[in-house]
Amino acid sequence: MDSANRSYFREDFAGGKDRTTWFSPDKIWTNCGNKVLDVNIDAANVSESITPREYAELLFDGIGAALVFNFKRLKREEFDELKPKIDWSMVESFPFPAAFEEQQYIGDEGKIHVYSWDGRQETDLVGPYSVRELYLEHFGK
């Protein structure tokens, strides 16, 4: 079953009670020798007020779900045992959110632009906006 037909609910992976988070990992594929792993995470708690610990737990669970999905010998229970061993003081010692210049995402220099095309004319629906400018305007860092 591919990831388009299956969701990994947080409680299925990390023992949570509310289905407010789910993961949709894709298979690892190779392109020119590089292995790529894509996991989409939808979570109700992602907002400006998410704490570093909540964010780190979300990433841990998402990466764990993707690994369990791709490697059948790995079991959710193995990740459940590892999670309590995370050094939360170290996680919480990093600046959060990180300064824009330190994040270094692929899309940082990109544009947000949504448009419609009627066959003759392009009409801007959203943007174009600079990702950098929007972030700095919103967070000021």
Side-chain angles (χ1 to χ4, degrees):
M1 182 180 298
D2 65 19
S3 63
N5 298 321
R6 185 168 183 181
S7 291
Y8 282 74
F9 294 98
R10 188 172 195 277
E11 60 274 37
D12 294 338
F13 179 71
K17 299 222 187 289
D18 297 318
R19 289 190 179 226
T20 57
T21 303
W22 63 94
F23 307 97
S24 300
D26 287 326
K27 291 219 178 264
I28 290 177
W29 56 276
T30 57
N31 183 10
C32 302
N34 297 322
K35 289 188 176 182
V36 177
L37 179 58
D38 178 46
V39 59
N40 296 311
I41 303 172
D42 293 309
N45 69 334
V46 176
S47 70
E48 292 177 16
S49 62
I50 192 170
T51 67
R53 183 175 180 144
E54 289 170 328
Y55 188 72
E57 285 181 335
L58 189 64
L59 292 177
F60 181 89
D61 292 345
I63 292 167
L67 292 172
V68 168
F69 176 78
N70 281 284
F71 300 99
K72 300 306 176 197
R73 284 195 231 171
L74 293 176
K75 301 296 177 211
R76 184 192 83 208
E77 293 77 20
E78 294 176 81
F79 290 93
D80 290 345
E81 291 173 11
L82 289 173
K83 196 170 186 179
K85 296 177 182 178
I86 295 173
D87 182 351
W88 293 112
S89 63
M90 177 185 229
V91 169
E92 293 168 347
S93 72
F94 293 103
F96 189 83
F100 184 84
E101 302 302 327
E102 293 177 16
Q103 293 180 29
Q104 302 177 15
Y105 291 110
I106 292 172
D108 286 352
E109 301 304 323
K111 301 276 185 204
I112 298 171
H113 187 206
V114 178
Y115 61 90
S116 67
W117 176 255
D118 67 5
R120 294 173 290 165
Q121 183 176 351
E122 179 180 299
T123 304
D124 290 335
L125 301 175
V126 176
Y129 299 114
S130 161
V131 171
R132 171 188 293 276
E133 289 172 13
L134 285 173
Y135 183 92
L136 294 175
E137 180 182 308
H138 188 74
F139 291 106
K141 298 183 193 182

